[in-house]
Amino acid sequence: MATDAAAQPGAKTVPEGFTERTEGKATILQRANDVFFNPAQVVNRDMSLSVLKYFIAQREKEIESGAAKKAFQKAANQGVGKAAGAKAPVAGEGVRVLEGLAASGLRAIRYAKEVEGVREVVANDLDPSVVESMKRNIEHNDIGHKVTPSVGDARLVMLQNSGLFDAVDLDPYGSPSILLDSAVQAVSEGGLLLVTATDMAVLCGNNGEACYAKYASYPLHKPYCHEMALRILLASLEQHAARYKRYIVPILSLSIDFYIRVFVRVYTSAAEVKNCATRLGYVWQSTGCDSYYWQRVGRRLLKGGNSVKYAPGVGPAVPQQCAETGSGFQLGGPFWAEPLHDPQWVAGLLAQVKRDKAILPGYNKVHSILTNVSEELNDVPLYFNLHDMCKTLRTSAPRSEVFRSALINAGYRVSGTHANPLGVKTDAPWDVIWDIMRCWVKEHPVKPPQPGSAAEKILSKEPELKADFSRAQAAVSKAKQKGVTRFPQNPEANWGPKPRHKRQAPQQQQQQQQQQATAAQEDGAAAEEQQEQQQEQAANGGAAAAAAETMEEEPQQPQQA
């Protein structure tokens, strides 16, 4: 039995037991948690939709200029898409998109309905019951001519369509590591690869051994861990691509709430792959303070005219002991050492998102993130947390603008980071950063630090730099000047990861357990009552039988007249 979804002619009906969920121009049918759906990922979907839309516009320009055809032919000569029968892109033909783990199909439906230039979306999932639900949602949105449901292993789908997808979107529940090798092969030349990772405990250093096993990189659980997570994922993508004479160009790399999301373009060039090691780096983290240093895995040396030679990185990049505390170092990586974003793409995306404000449900956060990204120092890997440094020195923290002013007045660049509200990115060396903090402590005295502590060792040195804390105009972020909230609050409590489909959230499990316990108690009480009744009936039955036996033994008395 179905119920009317709306009281207007032509309205879609909602099957009994289902509810409608609308996001953008798409509406899906949901029944409990039978298919995975997370409303917190609206920002992910809005951002992905915006990037895909901008990618299609750029792709059309490349086709019109002839650059896309030239790149395609170069890749075809090296075997990309050749076996699968890939063809050179044609202007106005539109793009073919794969959503490898489509679940409800919401994202695929939004791509098809909201992004002009999408020719086809292949919405794939491994679970047949999920694909049936996806088909129901595709039919509910009248979008079957553009969205093709598919059931199977995403890896197999990608390998069978090598070089045939203009965009591949992977948003798994957990780690994408097992999908990356086939993903870099499935993308067409210059195509777009969109990858999400939600295994942040692994990528951020809580389980370093698991991270190394999955991504071939060792993370460090330090303040910059969320940016390092992005760089680890990019490094893994780069190394997978290199095996097939391909390389990546990141256009946008984001750390959002409980996950990371990267957007990269994939190209083919055996010559460019030789630079793979030069784009990766290791980080050396002091075990006694907040100082860290990094070095590249490999070097590119120019000799003579166009002669190029490749060599391993030069080391050690740090002395045996930390210059500030005398402690040792931890080694992390390798990680992606090149820029995380393409500034031109970020600027174009920001302008496009502003135009699309009315049709993006998560606009406020999308706009905020892109604004933060647009202000980041793009050529400075990692960041430090100002409050953590102050905790090391046991001092109160200066205002962000005050600290940034000191760095700018000393002749260095500085910015915030979208990955951490308290993060600071700068090209200033650590001796300058610590000198500024020493000057701050001199102006704001602290209690004598404990003997032998990191604070004592750092503050025992006289600063060589005289910090100037007078306000510098560039120290105030453009976002603040324009009144843009840099880190808006999430719209509701428990805004984070949700349980897998067909599984209940912890609070639901607790409620069910309580209900089951109550039911068990009631059943136990009913069973006891039933047992008592049976015992009582048995006792009554025994008395009646005994009475009957007595009556049979006694002679019948003659009736009196």
Side-chain angles (χ1 to χ4, degrees):
M1 180 178 180
T3 57
D4 290 338
Q8 55 189 22
K12 286 286 184 180
T13 57
V14 179
E16 186 176 2
F18 287 85
T19 57
E20 284 187 325
R21 289 181 177 271
T22 300
E23 184 179 287
K25 295 182 179 180
T27 300
I28 63 169
L29 300 171
Q30 187 79 7
R31 179 175 56 192
N33 192 31
D34 58 346
V35 178
F36 182 74
F37 169 76
N38 189 353
Q41 291 279 34
V42 62
V43 175
N44 185 326
R45 289 185 283 269
D46 277 2
M47 189 73 75
S48 303
L49 186 145
S50 300
V51 173
L52 180 62
K53 180 178 179 180
Y54 193 77
F55 163 74
I56 292 172
Q58 299 306 305
R59 183 84 157 174
E60 285 297 309
K61 293 179 181 178
E62 293 167 359
I63 293 173
E64 292 172 4
S65 69
K69 185 175 181 179
K70 184 178 179 180
F72 169 82
Q73 192 58 51
K74 181 180 178 182
N77 293 338
Q78 299 186 59
V80 175
K82 190 174 182 180
K87 297 179 181 179
V90 178
E93 186 178 52
V95 299
R96 186 168 182 247
V97 182
L98 168 68
E99 191 187 358
L101 304 100
S104 65
L106 173 60
R107 190 189 306 250
I109 294 168
R110 288 195 65 188
Y111 281 165
K113 297 188 76 170
E114 300 180 40
V115 182
E116 186 178 353
V118 171
R119 180 175 83 250
E120 179 191 15
V121 183
V122 177
N124 178 79
D125 203 281
L126 183 62
D127 189 335
S129 65
V130 168
V131 175
E132 288 302 313
S133 177
M134 188 195 307
K135 290 178 180 177
R136 183 166 52 244
N137 289 327
I138 293 170
E139 181 182 353
H140 194 70
N141 285 270
D142 293 324
I143 202 70
H145 60 292
K146 275 191 175 183
V147 181
T148 304
S150 165
V151 58
D153 191 321
R155 294 170 294 182
L156 187 58
V157 173
M158 290 187 283
L159 289 174
Q160 291 174 335
N161 291 269
S162 177
L164 295 184
F165 290 109
D166 300 293
V168 172
D169 190 328
L170 300 174
D171 191 357
Y173 192 101
S175 172
S177 59
I178 63 173
L179 304 168
L180 302 184
D181 195 80
S182 48
V184 297
Q185 299 178 69
V187 186
S188 63
E189 185 64 16
L192 181 66
L193 181 55
L194 312 86
V195 182
T196 298
T198 61
D199 55 333
M200 297 306 291
V202 171
L203 284 162
C204 288
N206 288 337
N207 304 101
E209 69 286 354
C211 185
Y212 194 84
K214 292 181 178 181
Y215 301 98
S217 179
Y218 215 100
L220 298 180
H221 189 57
K222 295 299 176 182
Y224 49 71
C225 62
H226 287 90
E227 181 178 319
M228 191 171 183
L230 284 169
R231 295 184 178 277
I232 287 174
L233 178 55
L234 289 172
S236 184
L237 276 170
E238 171 77 351
Q239 292 177 88
H240 278 291
R243 295 163 191 160
Y244 305 98
K245 300 179 183 179
R246 312 195 83 182
Y247 65 98
I248 66 168
V249 177
I251 55 178
L252 188 64
S253 309
L254 305 174
S255 173
I256 308 173
D257 295 332
F258 57 93
Y259 62 93
I260 57 174
R261 178 79 160 163
V262 298
F263 305 84
V264 304
R265 298 191 72 177
V266 182
Y267 297 93
T268 306
S269 172
E272 188 63 30
V273 167
K274 293 180 181 180
N275 293 311
C276 178
T278 70
R279 291 194 284 260
L280 305 179
Y282 290 104
V283 60
W284 297 87
Q285 172 66 55
S286 170
T287 58
C289 66
D290 305 86
S291 305
Y292 61 83
Y293 307 85
W294 70 278
Q295 69 176 99
R296 293 186 184 272
V297 174
R299 293 178 295 153
R300 187 174 185 268
L301 307 175
L302 293 176
K303 290 194 173 184
N306 297 324
S307 177
V308 178
K309 183 179 180 181
Y310 294 90
V314 177
V318 293
Q320 284 291 105
Q321 295 180 325
C322 172
E324 304 299 333
T325 62
S327 62
F329 291 91
Q330 288 180 322
L331 177 65
F335 64 83
W336 179 258
E338 293 295 298
L340 295 175
H341 325 286
D342 184 322
Q344 293 183 346
W345 275 69
V346 174
L349 275 169
L350 196 50
Q352 175 187 280
V353 164
K354 290 178 181 177
R355 294 192 298 269
D356 293 343
K357 177 180 180 179
I359 60 174
L360 296 175
Y363 168 79
N364 289 337
K365 192 154 188 173
V366 170
H367 178 245
S368 170
I369 292 170
L370 290 175
T371 301
N372 277 334
V373 167
S374 69
E375 297 184 16
E376 285 185 3
L377 290 179
N378 205 25
D379 58 344
V380 178
L382 309 180
Y383 56 85
F384 58 87
N385 186 313
L386 179 58
H387 284 223
D388 279 0
M389 290 184 64
C390 293
K391 188 184 296 183
T392 299
L393 298 178
R394 300 292 190 269
T395 184
S396 59
R399 291 183 58 191
S400 177
E401 289 83 358
V402 172
F403 181 76
R404 292 187 189 189
S405 294
L407 287 167
I408 293 171
N409 293 334
Y412 299 96
R413 296 178 299 146
V414 63
S415 78
T417 169
H418 79 279
N420 190 321
L422 302 175
V424 178
K425 296 175 79 75
T426 181
D427 59 354
W430 276 101
D431 57 345
V432 169
I433 296 171
W434 285 119
D435 274 356
I436 290 174
M437 292 307 301
R438 291 183 185 104
C439 292
W440 172 259
V441 172
K442 282 182 177 294
E443 295 184 12
H444 303 79
V446 297
K447 293 181 180 179
Q450 294 181 355
S453 66
E456 185 204 35
K457 294 175 182 178
I458 294 171
L459 295 177
S460 64
K461 300 178 182 179
E462 283 297 318
E464 296 180 7
L465 170 74
K466 175 60 178 176
D468 179 5
F469 292 105
S470 59
R471 186 183 183 192
Q473 184 62 33
V476 182
S477 69
K478 295 179 182 178
K480 187 172 183 179
Q481 294 176 13
K482 296 177 181 179
V484 177
T485 303
R486 293 182 62 237
F487 293 89
Q489 292 184 347
N490 290 322
E492 61 184 52
N494 301 319
W495 191 256
K498 303 296 181 184
R500 289 179 185 268
H501 73 281
K502 299 180 181 178
R503 295 185 184 178
Q504 294 177 317
Q507 59 269 27
Q508 292 175 322
Q509 292 177 352
Q510 186 177 6
Q511 291 175 358
Q512 186 181 50
Q513 289 171 358
Q514 291 176 348
Q515 292 173 354
Q516 290 175 345
T518 301
Q521 290 176 355
E522 292 176 351
D523 291 344
E528 289 180 1
E529 183 178 353
Q530 185 178 6
Q531 186 177 8
E532 289 177 357
Q533 289 177 351
Q534 290 175 348
Q535 290 174 348
E536 183 178 351
Q537 290 174 356
N540 292 337
E549 290 177 1
T550 303
M551 290 179 64
E552 288 178 358
E553 291 175 357
E554 291 181 353
Q556 293 183 350
Q557 298 293 329
Q559 292 181 355
Q560 292 181 355

